[in-house]
Amino acid sequence: MQINLEAKPLAAVEVDALVTYVFDDNDGPQGRAAELDQFTGGLLSRLNKGGELTGKSLETTLVHAPANLKAARLLLVGAGKREQFASATLRKVAGVALRYLKARAVHNFAFVLREGGVTEENAQAVVEGFLTADFETDKYKTDRKKEKFIDSAAIAGFTEAEKSAVEKGMTRGRIIGEAQNFARDLVNEPSNKLTPRILADKAQAMAKEAGLAVEVLDEKKIAELKMGALLSVAQGSVEPPRMIVITYTPANPKTGAPVIGLVGKAVTFDTGGISIKPADGMEKMKYDMAGGATMIGIMKALAALKPNVKVICVVPATENMPGGKAQKPGDIQTAMSGKTIEVLNTDAEGRLILADGVHYAKQLGATHLVDAATLTGAIVVALANVNVGVFGSDQAWTDKLLASAKDAGEKMWQLPMDDEYREFIKGSFADIQNIGSGKGGGSITGAWFIREFAGDTPWIHLDIAGTAWNDDTKPWLAKGPTGVALRTLIRLIMSF
Ligand code: BES
Ligand code: ZN
Ligand code: ZN
């Protein structure tokens, strides 16, 4: 899909559809919508009065052959209340427009930014909205609808003076939107097409193309480094594990800036191991590498965005399988840090591989850590598919992340980490056990387990089990992988 700027006056734009958004104002079209109303001979006002054009959030109204426009159609998308309008609204509105038009075999359109809304931030959001909405998960369908595609999408409605801001936003939006889709594509791959080795190959290819340093540790190197927690999960599978390390080093690093360590869980399939999962819905566990995919996608974007801080991405990748060699409940493992772990449930494997991932990231020089993982079913109980669960050991660092999430339009909610919860994972026969002792708070004990390996290094854990996968199609997003947390973490990194 091409994304361009369209500088022509609105009436002269020759496209399959001209798109803009209207507010739930109850006072008829204003500003640029009023301009379009004139070109349609007052049709928008009439639709508004008749109740067909209300501006209600994500409502769509399509007008065919608008009288005085070169465009073949005019599509209006509801933007909801003007007071609540933000770039996050625009991202969705742009996505809704694209998917609405694509479904109707429209091939090109121009999206008109409204008066007062022409900013770099908004242009970025629109382009992110376009690209993430255009993503489909039909890669393995042999009969996919070839006539339904968008060739080109343009942004219109800016003045000559505003052009450079729109251009900048467009470039940034493209980098981020493409990185998010790259991550989603990895998550969408089934486990037979994406083993730990294949994930490592794909990460390596991306890094080489982007000009990032990359190192992939194989099972021998992982054993040499005594990554016993990662190995304990991997031992049940015939597929060997990988530890993927991608590093971005800025040309002129700021003195005193942090070195950010991004650690992503990449269990390419989670059967639960010997503590096997129920069959019903198990197929979704191909998504259990979403944390790792997000982090790899972030690195792709950083290579182009060039932040001022060093970022080290560490992705432990493995399958979690039952088998003759699989670890068993009660087994005691020694993590790379030297801590001993009693594995009471082999399905709580994410925290095991993150234990070594986090320790290794620190050893490589990370001063500030963020991990992302589809870690617990309990986070789905607590926050459903709406908010990412946030856990942190350092409130200043966590607050920075929460502010970035707000700016990026991603919903995240912090949960408590009182010392009392730490007691839940105190080991009976080893230093620590990998599940809490039956007192609830499953997402928090999972977080505490990882925190034990972060130690004093400021650390944030994002539990994306509820938000990394969209169970139903949304008007602005296909069913399947979401690429959640990528935009927030890019903002966090760019804020230094
Ligand atoms: N990958 C799962 C998390 C998960 C579970 C995501 C259900 C979505 C739905 C993780 O490895 C896991 O199995 N966690 C267990 C932990 C438990 C054994 C303490 C869980 O949440 O059930
Ligand atoms: Zn599991
Ligand atoms: Zn898992």
Side-chain angles (χ1 to χ4, degrees):
M1 179 173 57
Q2 278 195 38
I3 301 175
N4 320 303
L5 297 190
E6 177 53 86
K8 283 201 203 104
L10 301 186
V13 179
E14 228 179 311
V15 277
D16 291 346
L18 202 60
V19 182
T20 197
Y21 44 101
V22 286
F23 296 100
D24 189 357
D25 276 328
N26 243 343
D27 57 357
Q30 308 176 23
R32 232 153 249 164
E35 217 180 296
L36 291 167
D37 188 36
Q38 275 188 359
F39 291 129
T40 60
L43 178 63
L44 301 192
S45 297
R46 288 199 296 283
L47 289 172
N48 179 242
K49 287 205 186 81
E52 260 184 85
L53 179 63
T54 66
K56 281 203 175 53
S57 184
L58 307 184
E59 173 193 77
T60 45
T61 312
L62 184 67
V63 177
H64 281 274
N68 303 308
L69 290 177
K70 276 263 183 351
R73 300 169 187 80
L74 178 61
L75 173 66
L76 300 140
V77 183
K81 298 277 179 228
R82 205 182 279 263
E83 314 85 75
Q84 285 159 18
F85 184 74
S87 62
T89 322
L90 210 42
R91 191 177 288 106
K92 272 191 196 171
V93 162
V96 166
L98 184 136
R99 290 187 74 79
Y100 180 96
L101 294 170
K102 182 155 87 167
R104 284 153 185 84
V106 165
H107 299 310
N108 62 75
F109 68 92
F111 187 94
V112 181
L113 286 169
R114 290 285 302 266
E115 64 284 359
V118 189
T119 61
E120 183 178 333
E121 182 82 15
N122 281 350
Q124 178 185 335
V126 167
V127 173
E128 288 169 1
F130 286 165
L131 287 166
T132 51
D134 196 35
F135 177 89
E136 304 290 355
T137 52
D138 57 0
K139 178 172 171 186
Y140 292 108
K141 291 198 173 173
T142 54
D143 66 341
R144 63 169 177 273
K145 304 246 167 2
K146 297 223 167 54
E147 67 283 4
K148 296 200 171 154
F149 62 89
I150 298 289
D151 238 356
S152 88
I155 297 183
F158 53 88
T159 63
E160 190 54 36
E162 294 163 331
K163 189 175 167 191
S164 97
V166 175
E167 225 157 22
K168 273 196 202 139
M170 187 174 83
T171 303
R172 190 177 272 236
R174 185 183 269 290
I175 292 166
I176 295 173
E178 283 176 354
Q180 191 168 343
N181 286 348
F182 175 77
R184 292 165 80 196
D185 202 38
L186 293 173
V187 178
N188 188 48
E189 289 295 324
S191 75
N192 63 325
K193 309 265 184 205
L194 194 93
T195 60
R197 281 184 292 182
I198 299 174
L199 177 63
D201 287 348
K202 289 189 187 234
Q204 205 154 29
M206 178 284 289
K208 290 220 167 109
E209 199 191 318
L212 294 163
V214 57
E215 193 187 3
V216 174
L217 312 185
D218 64 11
E219 65 275 26
K220 264 175 65 190
K221 193 83 211 235
I222 290 170
E224 251 172 63
L225 290 172
K226 298 196 160 60
M227 296 179 169
L230 170 59
L231 281 173
S232 79
V233 178
Q235 74 188 45
S237 174
V238 295
E239 286 293 339
R242 290 291 181 263
M243 183 68 94
I244 304 162
V245 183
I246 309 171
T247 309
Y248 165 81
T249 309
N252 304 301
K254 256 197 200 161
T255 42
V259 175
I260 299 176
L262 303 177
V263 185
K265 169 181 175 181
V267 173
T268 57
F269 197 83
D270 184 9
T271 65
I274 295 300
S275 312
I276 199 162
K277 286 182 181 297
D280 199 26
M282 204 204 269
E283 70 281 357
K284 185 171 159 183
M285 285 300 139
K286 70 172 186 177
Y287 97 131
D288 212 22
M289 34 61 71
T294 294
M295 298 317 196
I296 295 168
I298 289 168
M299 298 311 287
K300 176 173 156 72
L302 296 185
L305 295 171
K306 304 196 189 311
N308 297 316
V309 285
K310 180 169 176 176
V311 182
I312 306 168
C313 166
V314 174
V315 176
T318 179
E319 287 188 336
N320 186 23
M321 294 287 285
K325 290 194 171 155
Q327 68 176 333
K328 300 168 286 294
D331 285 3
I332 293 177
Q333 310 290 2
T334 306
M336 187 186 192
S337 75
K339 252 193 225 305
T340 56
I341 304 165
E342 190 180 5
V343 179
L344 294 182
N345 189 315
T346 65
D347 197 11
E349 85 297 341
R351 61 200 74 180
L352 295 174
I353 72 170
L354 289 171
D356 285 342
V358 160
H359 182 82
Y360 193 48
K362 280 206 304 181
Q363 200 175 78
L364 294 175
T367 63
H368 288 68
L369 295 163
V370 185
D371 79 67
T374 46
L375 202 77
T376 65
I379 205 69
V380 189
V381 176
L383 302 172
N385 62 352
V386 179
N387 274 281
V388 170
V390 178
F391 305 81
S393 64
D394 178 289
Q395 201 51 45
W397 178 229
T398 311
D399 283 341
K400 235 175 137 41
L401 172 108
L402 292 169
S404 303
K406 225 181 174 63
D407 292 343
E410 292 190 304
K411 288 182 194 267
M412 301 208 178
W413 193 261
Q414 188 178 1
L415 283 96
M417 287 216 74
D418 305 86
D419 286 332
E420 283 88 336
Y421 296 107
R422 186 186 194 166
E423 300 299 314
F424 294 16
I425 53 165
K426 272 219 165 127
S428 308
F429 304 104
D431 297 338
I432 183 175
Q433 58 191 39
N434 81 329
I435 58 169
S437 20
K439 300 191 184 84
S443 300
I444 305 174
T445 49
W448 254 116
F449 184 95
I450 304 165
R451 180 169 171 178
E452 289 288 331
F453 296 86
D456 295 334
T457 306
W459 155 91
I460 295 164
H461 160 59
L462 303 177
D463 195 334
I464 57 171
T467 45
W469 190 267
N470 217 347
D471 286 319
D472 316 288
T473 309
K474 301 231 167 90
W476 62 92
L477 211 67
K479 171 179 168 165
T482 61
V484 73
L486 175 138
R487 288 205 313 268
T488 294
L489 292 176
I490 290 174
R491 277 210 187 229
L492 176 67
I493 292 161
M494 296 306 289
S495 74
F496 289 97

Coordinates of all heavy atoms in Angstrom, one line a residue, residues 333-398:
Q333 N 15.6 -26.8 39.4 CA 16.5 -26.3 38.3 C 17.4 -25.1 38.9 O 16.9 -24.4 39.8 CB 15.7 -25.8 37.1 CG 14.6 -26.7 36.6 CD 15.2 -28.0 36.0 OE1 16.4 -28.1 35.9 NE2 14.3 -28.8 35.5
T334 N 18.5 -25.0 38.3 CA 19.4 -23.8 38.7 C 19.4 -22.8 37.5 O 19.8 -23.2 36.4 CB 20.8 -24.3 39.0 OG1 20.7 -25.3 40.0 CG2 21.6 -23.2 39.6
A335 N 19.0 -21.6 37.8 CA 18.9 -20.6 36.8 C 20.4 -20.1 36.6 O 21.3 -20.3 37.4 CB 18.0 -19.4 37.2
M336 N 20.5 -19.3 35.5 CA 21.8 -18.7 35.2 C 22.4 -17.9 36.3 O 23.6 -17.8 36.6 CB 21.7 -17.8 33.9 CG 23.0 -17.3 33.4 SD 22.7 -16.1 32.1 CE 24.4 -15.9 31.4
S337 N 21.5 -17.2 37.1 CA 21.9 -16.4 38.2 C 22.4 -17.2 39.4 O 23.0 -16.7 40.3 CB 20.7 -15.6 38.7 OG 19.8 -16.4 39.4
G338 N 22.2 -18.5 39.4 CA 22.6 -19.4 40.5 C 21.4 -19.7 41.4 O 21.5 -20.6 42.2
K339 N 20.3 -19.0 41.3 CA 19.2 -19.3 42.1 C 18.6 -20.6 41.8 O 18.5 -21.0 40.6 CB 18.1 -18.2 41.9 CG 17.9 -17.2 43.0 CD 16.6 -16.4 42.8 CE 16.7 -14.9 43.0 NZ 17.3 -14.5 44.3
T340 N 18.1 -21.3 42.8 CA 17.5 -22.6 42.5 C 15.9 -22.4 42.5 O 15.4 -21.7 43.2 CB 17.8 -23.7 43.5 OG1 17.5 -23.2 44.8 CG2 19.3 -24.0 43.5
I341 N 15.3 -23.2 41.6 CA 13.9 -23.0 41.3 C 13.2 -24.4 41.4 O 13.6 -25.4 40.8 CB 13.6 -22.5 39.9 CG1 14.3 -21.2 39.7 CG2 12.1 -22.3 39.7 CD1 14.4 -20.8 38.2
E342 N 12.1 -24.5 42.2 CA 11.3 -25.7 42.3 C 10.2 -25.5 41.3 O 9.4 -24.6 41.4 CB 10.8 -25.9 43.7 CG 10.2 -27.3 43.8 CD 9.6 -27.6 45.2 OE1 9.6 -26.7 46.1 OE2 9.1 -28.7 45.4
V343 N 10.2 -26.4 40.3 CA 9.1 -26.2 39.2 C 7.9 -27.0 39.6 O 7.8 -28.2 39.5 CB 9.7 -26.7 37.8 CG1 8.6 -26.6 36.8 CG2 10.9 -25.9 37.4
L344 N 7.0 -26.3 40.2 CA 5.8 -27.0 40.7 C 4.7 -27.2 39.6 O 3.9 -28.1 39.7 CB 5.1 -26.2 41.9 CG 6.0 -26.2 43.1 CD1 5.2 -25.4 44.2 CD2 6.3 -27.6 43.6
N345 N 4.8 -26.4 38.6 CA 3.9 -26.5 37.4 C 4.7 -26.2 36.2 O 5.2 -25.1 36.0 CB 2.7 -25.6 37.6 CG 1.6 -25.8 36.6 OD1 1.9 -26.0 35.4 ND2 0.4 -25.8 37.1
T346 N 4.8 -27.2 35.3 CA 5.6 -26.9 34.1 C 4.9 -26.0 33.1 O 5.5 -25.5 32.1 CB 5.9 -28.3 33.3 OG1 4.6 -28.8 32.8 CG2 6.5 -29.3 34.3
D347 N 3.6 -25.6 33.4 CA 2.9 -24.7 32.5 C 3.3 -23.2 32.9 O 3.0 -22.3 32.1 CB 1.4 -24.9 32.6 CG 0.7 -24.3 31.5 OD1 1.3 -23.8 30.5 OD2 -0.6 -24.2 31.5
A348 N 3.9 -23.0 34.0 CA 4.4 -21.7 34.4 C 5.8 -21.6 33.9 O 6.8 -21.4 34.6 CB 4.3 -21.5 35.9
E349 N 5.9 -21.7 32.5 CA 7.3 -21.8 31.9 C 7.8 -20.4 31.5 O 9.0 -20.2 31.3 CB 7.2 -22.7 30.7 CG 6.7 -22.1 29.4 CD 5.3 -21.6 29.4 OE1 4.5 -22.0 30.3 OE2 4.9 -20.7 28.6
G350 N 6.9 -19.5 31.2 CA 7.3 -18.2 30.7 C 8.3 -17.5 31.7 O 9.3 -17.0 31.3
R351 N 7.9 -17.5 33.0 CA 8.7 -16.9 34.0 C 10.1 -17.6 34.1 O 11.1 -16.9 34.4 CB 8.0 -16.9 35.3 CG 7.7 -18.3 35.9 CD 6.5 -18.3 36.9 NE 5.2 -18.0 36.3 CZ 4.1 -17.9 36.9 NH1 4.1 -18.1 38.2 NH2 2.9 -17.7 36.3
L352 N 10.1 -18.9 33.8 CA 11.4 -19.6 33.8 C 12.4 -19.1 32.8 O 13.5 -18.7 33.0 CB 11.2 -21.1 33.6 CG 10.4 -21.8 34.7 CD1 10.2 -23.3 34.3 CD2 11.2 -21.8 36.1
I353 N 11.9 -18.9 31.5 CA 12.8 -18.5 30.5 C 13.1 -17.0 30.6 O 14.2 -16.6 30.3 CB 12.2 -18.8 29.1 CG1 11.0 -18.0 28.7 CG2 11.8 -20.3 29.0 CD1 10.6 -18.1 27.2
L354 N 12.2 -16.2 31.2 CA 12.4 -14.8 31.4 C 13.5 -14.6 32.5 O 14.2 -13.6 32.5 CB 11.1 -14.1 31.8 CG 10.2 -13.9 30.6 CD1 8.8 -13.4 31.1 CD2 10.8 -13.0 29.5
A355 N 13.5 -15.6 33.5 CA 14.5 -15.5 34.6 C 15.9 -15.4 34.0 O 16.7 -14.5 34.3 CB 14.4 -16.7 35.5
D356 N 16.2 -16.3 33.0 CA 17.5 -16.3 32.4 C 17.6 -15.1 31.4 O 18.7 -14.5 31.3 CB 17.7 -17.6 31.6 CG 18.1 -18.7 32.6 OD1 18.4 -18.4 33.8 OD2 18.0 -19.9 32.2
G357 N 16.5 -14.7 30.7 CA 16.6 -13.6 29.8 C 16.9 -12.3 30.5 O 17.7 -11.5 30.1
V358 N 16.2 -12.1 31.7 CA 16.4 -10.9 32.4 C 17.9 -10.8 33.0 O 18.6 -9.8 33.0 CB 15.4 -10.8 33.6 CG1 15.8 -9.9 34.7 CG2 14.0 -10.4 33.0
H359 N 18.3 -12.0 33.5 CA 19.7 -12.0 34.1 C 20.7 -11.7 33.0 O 21.7 -11.0 33.2 CB 19.9 -13.4 34.7 CG 21.3 -13.5 35.3 ND1 21.5 -13.0 36.6 CD2 22.5 -14.0 34.9 CE1 22.8 -13.2 36.9 NE2 23.4 -13.8 35.9
Y360 N 20.5 -12.3 31.8 CA 21.4 -12.1 30.7 C 21.5 -10.7 30.3 O 22.5 -10.1 30.0 CB 21.1 -13.1 29.6 CG 22.2 -13.2 28.6 CD1 23.5 -13.4 28.9 CD2 21.9 -13.1 27.2 CE1 24.5 -13.5 28.0 CE2 22.9 -13.2 26.2 CZ 24.2 -13.4 26.6 OH 25.2 -13.5 25.7
A361 N 20.3 -10.1 30.2 CA 20.2 -8.7 29.7 C 21.0 -7.8 30.7 O 21.7 -6.8 30.3 CB 18.7 -8.2 29.7
K362 N 20.9 -8.1 32.0 CA 21.7 -7.3 33.0 C 23.2 -7.5 32.8 O 24.0 -6.6 32.8 CB 21.3 -7.7 34.4 CG 20.0 -7.1 34.9 CD 20.0 -7.0 36.4 CE 20.2 -8.4 37.1 NZ 20.1 -8.2 38.6
Q363 N 23.5 -8.8 32.5 CA 24.9 -9.1 32.3 C 25.5 -8.4 31.1 O 26.6 -8.0 31.0 CB 25.1 -10.6 32.2 CG 26.5 -11.1 32.4 CD 26.6 -12.6 32.4 OE1 26.6 -13.2 31.3 NE2 26.6 -13.2 33.5
L364 N 24.6 -8.2 30.1 CA 25.1 -7.5 28.9 C 25.1 -5.9 29.1 O 25.4 -5.2 28.1 CB 24.1 -7.8 27.7 CG 24.2 -9.3 27.2 CD1 23.1 -9.5 26.2 CD2 25.5 -9.7 26.7
G365 N 24.7 -5.5 30.2 CA 24.8 -4.1 30.5 C 23.5 -3.2 30.6 O 23.6 -2.0 30.8
A366 N 22.4 -3.9 30.6 CA 21.1 -3.1 30.7 C 21.0 -2.5 32.1 O 21.3 -3.2 33.1 CB 19.9 -4.1 30.5
T367 N 20.6 -1.2 32.2 CA 20.5 -0.6 33.5 C 19.0 -0.4 33.8 O 18.6 -0.1 34.9 CB 21.1 0.8 33.4 OG1 20.4 1.6 32.4 CG2 22.6 0.8 33.1
H368 N 18.1 -0.5 32.8 CA 16.7 -0.4 32.9 C 16.0 -1.5 32.1 O 16.3 -1.6 30.9 CB 16.2 0.9 32.5 CG 16.6 2.0 33.4 ND1 17.9 2.5 33.6 CD2 15.8 2.8 34.3 CE1 17.9 3.4 34.5 NE2 16.7 3.7 34.9
L369 N 15.1 -2.3 32.8 CA 14.6 -3.4 32.1 C 13.1 -3.3 31.8 O 12.3 -2.7 32.7 CB 14.8 -4.7 33.0 CG 16.2 -5.1 33.2 CD1 16.3 -6.1 34.4 CD2 16.8 -5.8 31.9
V370 N 12.6 -3.8 30.7 CA 11.2 -4.0 30.5 C 11.0 -5.4 29.9 O 11.7 -5.8 28.9 CB 10.6 -3.0 29.5 CG1 9.1 -3.3 29.4 CG2 10.9 -1.6 29.8
D371 N 10.2 -6.2 30.5 CA 9.8 -7.5 29.8 C 8.4 -7.5 29.4 O 7.6 -6.8 30.0 CB 10.2 -8.7 30.7 CG 9.1 -9.0 31.8 OD1 8.0 -9.4 31.4 OD2 9.4 -8.8 33.0
A372 N 8.1 -8.2 28.3 CA 6.7 -8.4 27.9 C 6.5 -9.9 27.7 O 7.3 -10.6 27.1 CB 6.5 -7.6 26.6
A373 N 5.3 -10.3 28.1 CA 5.1 -11.8 28.1 C 3.6 -12.1 28.2 O 2.8 -11.4 28.9 CB 5.8 -12.5 29.3
T374 N 3.2 -13.1 27.4 CA 1.8 -13.6 27.6 C 1.9 -14.6 28.8 O 2.0 -15.8 28.6 CB 1.4 -14.4 26.3 OG1 2.5 -15.2 25.9 CG2 1.1 -13.5 25.1
L375 N 2.0 -14.0 30.0 CA 2.4 -14.8 31.1 C 1.3 -15.5 31.9 O 1.6 -16.7 32.3 CB 3.2 -13.9 32.1 CG 4.1 -14.6 33.0 CD1 5.4 -15.0 32.3 CD2 4.4 -13.9 34.3
T376 N 0.2 -14.9 32.1 CA -0.8 -15.6 32.9 C -2.3 -15.5 32.4 O -2.7 -14.5 31.9 CB -0.8 -15.0 34.3 OG1 -1.3 -13.6 34.3 CG2 0.5 -15.1 35.0
G377 N -3.0 -16.6 32.6 CA -4.4 -16.5 32.4 C -5.1 -15.6 33.4 O -6.2 -15.0 33.1
A378 N -4.5 -15.5 34.5 CA -5.1 -14.6 35.6 C -5.2 -13.2 35.2 O -6.1 -12.5 35.7 CB -4.2 -14.8 36.9
I379 N -4.3 -12.7 34.3 CA -4.4 -11.3 33.9 C -5.7 -11.1 33.0 O -6.2 -10.0 32.9 CB -3.1 -10.8 33.1 CG1 -3.0 -9.3 33.3 CG2 -3.1 -11.2 31.7 CD1 -2.7 -8.8 34.6
V380 N -6.1 -12.2 32.3 CA -7.3 -12.1 31.5 C -8.5 -12.0 32.5 O -9.5 -11.3 32.2 CB -7.5 -13.3 30.6 CG1 -8.6 -13.2 29.6 CG2 -6.2 -13.6 29.8
V381 N -8.5 -12.7 33.6 CA -9.5 -12.6 34.6 C -9.6 -11.2 35.1 O -10.7 -10.6 35.3 CB -9.3 -13.6 35.7 CG1 -10.3 -13.5 36.8 CG2 -9.2 -15.1 35.2
A382 N -8.4 -10.6 35.5 CA -8.4 -9.3 36.1 C -8.7 -8.2 35.1 O -9.5 -7.3 35.4 CB -7.0 -9.1 36.7
L383 N -8.2 -8.2 33.9 CA -8.3 -7.0 33.0 C -8.9 -7.3 31.7 O -9.0 -6.4 30.8 CB -6.9 -6.4 32.8 CG -6.1 -6.0 34.1 CD1 -4.7 -5.6 33.8 CD2 -6.8 -4.8 34.8
A384 N -9.3 -8.6 31.5 CA -9.9 -9.0 30.2 C -8.9 -8.6 29.0 O -7.7 -8.6 29.2 CB -11.3 -8.4 30.0
N385 N -9.5 -8.3 27.9 CA -8.7 -8.0 26.7 C -8.5 -6.5 26.5 O -8.2 -6.0 25.5 CB -9.3 -8.6 25.4 CG -10.6 -8.1 25.1 OD1 -11.2 -7.4 25.9 ND2 -11.2 -8.4 24.0
V386 N -8.8 -5.8 27.6 CA -8.8 -4.3 27.5 C -7.5 -3.7 27.9 O -6.9 -2.9 27.1 CB -9.9 -3.7 28.3 CG1 -10.0 -2.2 28.3 CG2 -11.3 -4.3 27.9
N387 N -6.9 -4.0 29.1 CA -5.7 -3.4 29.5 C -4.6 -4.4 29.6 O -4.7 -5.5 30.0 CB -5.9 -2.8 31.0 CG -6.5 -1.4 30.9 OD1 -5.8 -0.5 30.7 ND2 -7.8 -1.4 31.2
V388 N -3.4 -3.9 29.3 CA -2.1 -4.6 29.6 C -1.9 -4.5 31.1 O -2.0 -3.5 31.7 CB -1.0 -4.0 28.8 CG1 0.4 -4.6 29.2 CG2 -1.1 -4.2 27.3
G389 N -1.5 -5.6 31.7 CA -1.1 -5.6 33.1 C 0.3 -5.1 33.3 O 1.2 -5.6 32.7
V390 N 0.5 -4.1 34.1 CA 1.8 -3.5 34.3 C 2.3 -3.7 35.8 O 1.5 -3.5 36.7 CB 1.7 -1.9 34.1 CG1 3.1 -1.3 34.3 CG2 1.3 -1.6 32.7
F391 N 3.5 -4.1 35.9 CA 4.1 -4.4 37.2 C 5.5 -3.7 37.2 O 6.2 -3.8 36.2 CB 4.3 -5.9 37.5 CG 3.0 -6.7 37.3 CD1 2.5 -7.0 36.0 CD2 2.2 -7.0 38.4 CE1 1.3 -7.8 35.9 CE2 1.0 -7.7 38.3 CZ 0.6 -8.1 37.0
G392 N 5.8 -3.1 38.3 CA 7.1 -2.4 38.3 C 7.8 -2.5 39.7 O 7.2 -2.6 40.7
S393 N 9.2 -2.4 39.6 CA 9.9 -2.4 40.9 C 10.4 -1.0 41.2 O 10.9 -0.7 42.3 CB 11.1 -3.3 40.7 OG 12.0 -2.8 39.7
D394 N 10.2 0.0 40.3 CA 10.7 1.3 40.5 C 9.6 2.3 39.9 O 9.3 2.3 38.7 CB 12.0 1.5 39.7 CG 12.6 2.8 39.7 OD1 12.0 3.8 39.1 OD2 13.6 3.0 40.4
Q395 N 9.0 3.0 40.8 CA 7.8 3.8 40.4 C 8.1 4.9 39.4 O 7.3 5.1 38.5 CB 7.1 4.4 41.6 CG 5.6 4.8 41.3 CD 4.8 3.6 40.7 OE1 4.9 2.4 41.1 NE2 4.0 3.9 39.6
A396 N 9.3 5.5 39.4 CA 9.6 6.5 38.5 C 9.7 5.9 37.1 O 9.2 6.5 36.1 CB 11.0 7.2 38.8
W397 N 10.4 4.8 37.0 CA 10.5 4.1 35.7 C 9.1 3.6 35.2 O 8.8 3.8 34.0 CB 11.5 2.9 35.9 CG 11.8 2.0 34.7 CD1 11.8 0.6 34.7 CD2 12.2 2.4 33.4 NE1 12.1 0.1 33.5 CE2 12.4 1.2 32.7 CE3 12.4 3.6 32.7 CZ2 12.8 1.1 31.3 CZ3 12.8 3.6 31.4 CH2 13.0 2.3 30.7
T398 N 8.3 3.1 36.1 CA 7.0 2.6 35.7 C 6.1 3.8 35.3 O 5.3 3.7 34.3 CB 6.3 1.9 36.9 OG1 7.2 0.9 37.4 CG2 5.0 1.2 36.5

